[in-house]
mmCIF file of all heavy atoms in Angstrom:
data_model
loop_
_atom_site.group_PDB
_atom_site.id
_atom_site.type_symbol
_atom_site.label_atom_id
_atom_site.label_comp_id
_atom_site.label_asym_id
_atom_site.label_seq_id
_atom_site.Cartn_x
_atom_site.Cartn_y
_atom_site.Cartn_z
ATOM 1 N N GLY A 32 -25.249 -8.163 -10.475
ATOM 2 C CA GLY A 32 -24.385 -9.236 -10.962
ATOM 3 C C GLY A 32 -24.630 -10.490 -10.152
ATOM 4 O O GLY A 32 -24.434 -10.503 -8.945
ATOM 5 N N SER A 33 -25.054 -11.523 -10.825
ATOM 6 C CA SER A 33 -25.412 -12.762 -10.140
ATOM 7 C C SER A 33 -24.208 -13.675 -9.909
ATOM 8 O O SER A 33 -23.359 -13.837 -10.783
ATOM 9 C CB SER A 33 -26.455 -13.528 -10.950
ATOM 10 O OG SER A 33 -26.741 -14.764 -10.324
ATOM 11 N N ILE A 34 -24.171 -14.261 -8.720
ATOM 12 C CA ILE A 34 -23.214 -15.323 -8.421
ATOM 13 C C ILE A 34 -23.976 -16.554 -7.916
ATOM 14 O O ILE A 34 -23.436 -17.392 -7.224
ATOM 15 C CB ILE A 34 -22.127 -14.882 -7.411
ATOM 16 C CG1 ILE A 34 -22.733 -14.455 -6.079
ATOM 17 C CG2 ILE A 34 -21.254 -13.787 -8.004
ATOM 18 C CD1 ILE A 34 -21.714 -14.267 -4.971
ATOM 19 N N TRP A 35 -25.253 -16.621 -8.269
ATOM 20 C CA TRP A 35 -26.097 -17.754 -7.878
ATOM 21 C C TRP A 35 -25.539 -19.048 -8.441
ATOM 22 O O TRP A 35 -24.892 -19.067 -9.479
ATOM 23 C CB TRP A 35 -27.518 -17.581 -8.421
ATOM 24 C CG TRP A 35 -28.374 -16.716 -7.558
ATOM 25 C CD1 TRP A 35 -28.606 -15.377 -7.735
ATOM 26 C CD2 TRP A 35 -29.094 -17.090 -6.396
ATOM 27 N NE1 TRP A 35 -29.437 -14.908 -6.757
ATOM 28 C CE2 TRP A 35 -29.759 -15.945 -5.914
ATOM 29 C CE3 TRP A 35 -29.243 -18.283 -5.701
ATOM 30 C CZ2 TRP A 35 -30.550 -15.964 -4.771
ATOM 31 C CZ3 TRP A 35 -30.045 -18.292 -4.573
ATOM 32 C CH2 TRP A 35 -30.686 -17.153 -4.122
ATOM 33 N N GLY A 36 -25.873 -20.113 -7.765
ATOM 34 C CA GLY A 36 -25.522 -21.443 -8.237
ATOM 35 C C GLY A 36 -24.222 -21.938 -7.658
ATOM 36 O O GLY A 36 -23.479 -21.210 -7.003
ATOM 37 N N GLY A 37 -23.989 -23.204 -7.908
ATOM 38 C CA GLY A 37 -22.769 -23.803 -7.389
ATOM 39 C C GLY A 37 -22.871 -24.046 -5.894
ATOM 40 O O GLY A 37 -23.908 -23.866 -5.267
ATOM 41 N N SER A 38 -21.773 -24.398 -5.340
ATOM 42 C CA SER A 38 -21.685 -24.740 -3.928
ATOM 43 C C SER A 38 -21.396 -23.518 -3.073
ATOM 44 O O SER A 38 -20.749 -22.566 -3.521
ATOM 45 C CB SER A 38 -20.557 -25.768 -3.756
ATOM 46 O OG SER A 38 -20.198 -25.895 -2.410
ATOM 47 N N SER A 39 -21.824 -23.557 -1.838
ATOM 48 C CA SER A 39 -21.503 -22.482 -0.898
ATOM 49 C C SER A 39 -20.022 -22.472 -0.535
ATOM 50 O O SER A 39 -19.548 -21.525 0.088
ATOM 51 C CB SER A 39 -22.354 -22.606 0.363
ATOM 52 O OG SER A 39 -23.698 -22.309 0.063
ATOM 53 N N PHE A 40 -19.286 -23.501 -0.939
ATOM 54 C CA PHE A 40 -17.842 -23.492 -0.727
ATOM 55 C C PHE A 40 -17.189 -22.316 -1.464
ATOM 56 O O PHE A 40 -16.076 -21.925 -1.138
ATOM 57 C CB PHE A 40 -17.210 -24.821 -1.169
ATOM 58 C CG PHE A 40 -17.315 -25.905 -0.133
ATOM 59 C CD1 PHE A 40 -18.260 -26.906 -0.255
ATOM 60 C CD2 PHE A 40 -16.473 -25.919 0.963
ATOM 61 C CE1 PHE A 40 -18.367 -27.903 0.694
ATOM 62 C CE2 PHE A 40 -16.571 -26.912 1.928
ATOM 63 C CZ PHE A 40 -17.522 -27.909 1.796
ATOM 64 N N LYS A 41 -17.889 -21.733 -2.429
ATOM 65 C CA LYS A 41 -17.343 -20.581 -3.160
ATOM 66 C C LYS A 41 -17.017 -19.435 -2.204
ATOM 67 O O LYS A 41 -16.226 -18.553 -2.528
ATOM 68 C CB LYS A 41 -18.303 -20.116 -4.250
ATOM 69 C CG LYS A 41 -19.603 -19.512 -3.742
ATOM 70 C CD LYS A 41 -20.528 -19.170 -4.886
ATOM 71 C CE LYS A 41 -21.945 -18.972 -4.388
ATOM 72 N NZ LYS A 41 -22.915 -19.274 -5.416
ATOM 73 N N PHE A 42 -17.614 -19.439 -1.024
ATOM 74 C CA PHE A 42 -17.367 -18.398 -0.030
ATOM 75 C C PHE A 42 -16.191 -18.722 0.882
ATOM 76 O O PHE A 42 -15.900 -17.959 1.796
ATOM 77 C CB PHE A 42 -18.625 -18.147 0.802
ATOM 78 C CG PHE A 42 -19.777 -17.628 -0.006
ATOM 79 C CD1 PHE A 42 -20.937 -18.367 -0.137
ATOM 80 C CD2 PHE A 42 -19.700 -16.406 -0.653
ATOM 81 C CE1 PHE A 42 -22.009 -17.894 -0.887
ATOM 82 C CE2 PHE A 42 -20.760 -15.913 -1.407
ATOM 83 C CZ PHE A 42 -21.915 -16.667 -1.524
ATOM 84 N N GLY A 43 -15.525 -19.839 0.654
ATOM 85 C CA GLY A 43 -14.370 -20.227 1.460
ATOM 86 C C GLY A 43 -14.761 -20.978 2.710
ATOM 87 O O GLY A 43 -14.232 -22.045 3.009
ATOM 88 N N VAL A 44 -15.691 -20.432 3.450
ATOM 89 C CA VAL A 44 -16.245 -21.044 4.659
ATOM 90 C C VAL A 44 -17.703 -20.595 4.736
ATOM 91 O O VAL A 44 -18.031 -19.473 4.362
ATOM 92 C CB VAL A 44 -15.456 -20.634 5.935
ATOM 93 C CG1 VAL A 44 -15.441 -19.132 6.131
ATOM 94 C CG2 VAL A 44 -15.970 -21.343 7.177
ATOM 95 N N TYR A 45 -18.559 -21.488 5.174
ATOM 96 C CA TYR A 45 -19.972 -21.105 5.288
ATOM 97 C C TYR A 45 -20.652 -21.876 6.419
ATOM 98 O O TYR A 45 -20.221 -22.965 6.807
ATOM 99 C CB TYR A 45 -20.730 -21.329 3.974
ATOM 100 C CG TYR A 45 -20.908 -22.781 3.581
ATOM 101 C CD1 TYR A 45 -22.062 -23.486 3.933
ATOM 102 C CD2 TYR A 45 -19.922 -23.451 2.868
ATOM 103 C CE1 TYR A 45 -22.224 -24.817 3.578
ATOM 104 C CE2 TYR A 45 -20.080 -24.785 2.506
ATOM 105 C CZ TYR A 45 -21.228 -25.457 2.867
ATOM 106 O OH TYR A 45 -21.389 -26.777 2.518
ATOM 107 N N SER A 46 -21.715 -21.282 6.919
ATOM 108 C CA SER A 46 -22.521 -21.888 7.970
ATOM 109 C C SER A 46 -23.443 -22.935 7.351
ATOM 110 O O SER A 46 -24.110 -22.659 6.352
ATOM 111 C CB SER A 46 -23.348 -20.801 8.659
ATOM 112 O OG SER A 46 -24.216 -21.347 9.612
ATOM 113 N N ARG A 47 -23.447 -24.117 7.945
ATOM 114 C CA ARG A 47 -24.252 -25.216 7.415
ATOM 115 C C ARG A 47 -25.671 -25.146 7.965
ATOM 116 O O ARG A 47 -25.882 -24.999 9.153
ATOM 117 C CB ARG A 47 -23.627 -26.556 7.814
ATOM 118 C CG ARG A 47 -22.263 -26.769 7.230
ATOM 119 C CD ARG A 47 -21.658 -28.081 7.685
ATOM 120 N NE ARG A 47 -22.531 -29.189 7.300
ATOM 121 C CZ ARG A 47 -22.655 -30.298 8.017
ATOM 122 N NH1 ARG A 47 -22.000 -30.458 9.144
ATOM 123 N NH2 ARG A 47 -23.450 -31.252 7.595
ATOM 124 N N LYS A 48 -26.633 -25.290 7.078
ATOM 125 C CA LYS A 48 -28.033 -25.341 7.497
ATOM 126 C C LYS A 48 -28.335 -26.700 8.125
ATOM 127 O O LYS A 48 -28.941 -26.790 9.172
ATOM 128 C CB LYS A 48 -28.940 -25.083 6.293
ATOM 129 C CG LYS A 48 -30.374 -24.851 6.648
ATOM 130 C CD LYS A 48 -31.160 -24.411 5.433
ATOM 131 C CE LYS A 48 -32.566 -24.045 5.822
ATOM 132 N NZ LYS A 48 -33.312 -23.509 4.688
ATOM 133 N N ALA A 49 -27.877 -27.758 7.452
ATOM 134 C CA ALA A 49 -28.056 -29.120 7.971
ATOM 135 C C ALA A 49 -26.873 -29.429 8.878
ATOM 136 O O ALA A 49 -25.725 -29.383 8.446
ATOM 137 C CB ALA A 49 -28.119 -30.118 6.826
ATOM 138 N N VAL A 50 -27.134 -29.713 10.115
ATOM 139 C CA VAL A 50 -26.053 -29.951 11.068
ATOM 140 C C VAL A 50 -25.790 -31.440 11.297
ATOM 141 O O VAL A 50 -25.180 -31.822 12.278
ATOM 142 C CB VAL A 50 -26.309 -29.231 12.414
ATOM 143 C CG1 VAL A 50 -26.236 -27.735 12.235
ATOM 144 C CG2 VAL A 50 -27.635 -29.649 13.016
ATOM 145 N N THR A 51 -26.257 -32.270 10.376
ATOM 146 C CA THR A 51 -25.960 -33.694 10.483
ATOM 147 C C THR A 51 -24.470 -33.910 10.294
ATOM 148 O O THR A 51 -23.790 -33.143 9.603
ATOM 149 C CB THR A 51 -26.733 -34.496 9.412
ATOM 150 O OG1 THR A 51 -26.391 -33.973 8.126
ATOM 151 C CG2 THR A 51 -28.234 -34.411 9.629
ATOM 152 N N GLU A 52 -23.956 -34.956 10.899
ATOM 153 C CA GLU A 52 -22.520 -35.230 10.820
ATOM 154 C C GLU A 52 -22.110 -35.512 9.380
ATOM 155 O O GLU A 52 -22.780 -36.224 8.648
ATOM 156 C CB GLU A 52 -22.155 -36.427 11.695
ATOM 157 C CG GLU A 52 -20.663 -36.658 11.745
ATOM 158 C CD GLU A 52 -20.263 -37.779 12.690
ATOM 159 O OE1 GLU A 52 -21.040 -38.103 13.600
ATOM 160 O OE2 GLU A 52 -19.167 -38.316 12.501
ATOM 161 N N LYS A 53 -21.014 -34.920 8.995
ATOM 162 C CA LYS A 53 -20.482 -35.119 7.666
ATOM 163 C C LYS A 53 -18.975 -35.267 7.806
ATOM 164 O O LYS A 53 -18.328 -34.482 8.491
ATOM 165 C CB LYS A 53 -20.846 -33.923 6.769
ATOM 166 C CG LYS A 53 -20.664 -34.203 5.322
ATOM 167 C CD LYS A 53 -21.539 -33.300 4.496
ATOM 168 C CE LYS A 53 -21.343 -33.709 3.049
ATOM 169 N NZ LYS A 53 -22.354 -33.293 2.178
ATOM 170 N N LYS A 54 -18.417 -36.262 7.172
ATOM 171 C CA LYS A 54 -16.983 -36.536 7.260
ATOM 172 C C LYS A 54 -16.206 -35.618 6.327
ATOM 173 O O LYS A 54 -16.587 -35.419 5.174
ATOM 174 C CB LYS A 54 -16.707 -37.988 6.888
ATOM 175 C CG LYS A 54 -17.411 -38.978 7.797
ATOM 176 C CD LYS A 54 -16.410 -39.664 8.656
ATOM 177 C CE LYS A 54 -17.122 -40.765 9.428
ATOM 178 N NZ LYS A 54 -16.861 -40.732 10.807
ATOM 179 N N SER A 55 -15.094 -35.100 6.825
ATOM 180 C CA SER A 55 -14.205 -34.290 6.005
ATOM 181 C C SER A 55 -13.450 -35.200 5.049
ATOM 182 O O SER A 55 -13.035 -36.293 5.420
ATOM 183 C CB SER A 55 -13.215 -33.538 6.891
ATOM 184 O OG SER A 55 -13.896 -32.660 7.746
ATOM 185 N N ALA A 56 -13.312 -34.769 3.812
ATOM 186 C CA ALA A 56 -12.599 -35.555 2.808
ATOM 187 C C ALA A 56 -12.302 -34.707 1.587
ATOM 188 O O ALA A 56 -13.002 -33.735 1.296
ATOM 189 C CB ALA A 56 -13.429 -36.770 2.401
#
Side-chain angles (χ1 to χ4, degrees):
S33 177
I34 60 169
W35 277 96
S38 165
S39 291
F40 278 102
K41 67 184 163 207
F42 297 116
V44 58
Y45 68 94
S46 176
R47 297 178 58 213
K48 191 172 186 175
V50 292
T51 57
E52 186 176 338
K53 195 156 183 161
K54 300 251 187 230
S55 298

